Amino acid sequence: MTHYQHRYQDGALLDLPLGKVVCVGRNYAAHAAELNNPLPEQPLLFIKPGSCIVPLNEGLVIPEGRGAVHYEAEIAVLLGKPLSGKVTHSQILQAIIGYAPALDLTLRDVQDKLKKNGHPWELAKAFDGAYVLAPFISAKAITDPSNIAISLSVNGVLRQQGNSREMYWPIIRLMGFIAEHFNLQAGDVISTGTPAGVGALNRGDKLELALPGYAQFMSQVR
Ligand code: ZN
């Protein structure tokens, strides 16, 4: 059970339901290469349920006895309006209400086994606490989705660093593709993929997750 609600950086609650998280895999070439994955011909999508979202400031709890838990730092995009069917660039921009750094947690050993068998990834990706979300920075402050940086440090060491301009499927194009295939609703989050540098988390790890230039957040693995 989650008690997560979408919030702005100043703590103000957003009047939006808790929707789904639509994730894209292999959206940065260097990350696809580090896991020996080919780049897909179209966005590789999967969905995390809203029930797995936890707020970053409460600290992370990683499952025990299910193998390695990897962090994937990602730029999260929050929708304030629905999008469906063929939508224009400006409709997409108007529907975005905020951006936040997030962690797409992944049970890597479980995922490797699922991938080998050609099975869906939910057991590795949808567990309780599997999506860790910082508060949102208003889209009024971040006007250019094609130039947003993301970084993650673990125990003071910079592990991941990327920018949305390096994405294989840039944010607006990605969202247009998704809306053409299924409905996006107000309160849904798009998780736009992770740059290279993913790795395992351990109890006690101290994390610093940032959209550099806008906000940085501290957290810890409990
Ligand atoms: Zn991811």
Side-chain angles (χ1 to χ4, degrees), residues 23-26 31 46 48 72-74 103-106 108 125 131 191-194 198:
C23 299
V24 58
R26 306 172 199 172
H31 168 63
F46 59 94
K48 293 192 167 210
E72 296 185 356
E74 311 204 356
L103 295 171
D104 166 18
L105 298 187
T106 305
R108 193 68 75 199
K125 289 280 196 181
Y131 199 72
S191 199
T192 57
T194 196
V198 301

Side-chain angles (χ1 to χ4, degrees), residues 36-77:
N36 294 316
N37 288 319
L39 279 168
E41 281 165 29
Q42 58 181 20
L44 173 63
L45 302 179
F46 59 94
I47 290 176
K48 293 192 167 210
S51 57
C52 77
I53 303 178
V54 290
L56 178 71
N57 65 3
E58 288 185 7
L60 290 61
V61 181
I62 54 179
E64 271 177 67
R66 298 191 217 169
V69 183
H70 274 200
Y71 54 79
E72 296 185 356
E74 311 204 356
I75 300 167
V77 183

Side-chain angles (χ1 to χ4, degrees), residues 40-140:
E41 281 165 29
Q42 58 181 20
L44 173 63
L45 302 179
F46 59 94
I47 290 176
K48 293 192 167 210
S51 57
C52 77
I53 303 178
V54 290
L56 178 71
N57 65 3
E58 288 185 7
L60 290 61
V61 181
I62 54 179
E64 271 177 67
R66 298 191 217 169
V69 183
H70 274 200
Y71 54 79
E72 296 185 356
E74 311 204 356
I75 300 167
V77 183
L78 178 62
L79 280 179
K81 293 178 189 163
L83 288 173
S84 74
K86 285 240 182 236
V87 285
T88 64
H89 188 100
S90 76
Q91 283 172 318
I92 296 170
L93 270 182
Q94 283 165 27
I96 297 174
I97 197 165
Y99 300 89
L103 295 171
D104 166 18
L105 298 187
T106 305
L107 293 168
R108 193 68 75 199
D109 297 330
V110 173
Q111 188 195 30
D112 285 347
K113 211 172 283 176
L114 293 169
K115 275 161 73 174
K116 211 169 286 166
N117 293 323
H119 292 165
W121 295 357
E122 275 80 356
L123 286 175
K125 289 280 196 181
F127 61 89
D128 298 338
Y131 199 72
V132 186
L133 201 40
F136 284 91
I137 297 143
S138 169
K140 286 180 191 137

Side-chain angles (χ1 to χ4, degrees), residues 7-26:
R7 281 176 195 278
Y8 280 126
Q9 222 183 329
D10 64 3
L13 273 178
L14 276 139
D15 186 21
L16 289 170
L18 177 56
K20 58 188 175 287
V21 184
V22 183
C23 299
V24 58
R26 306 172 199 172

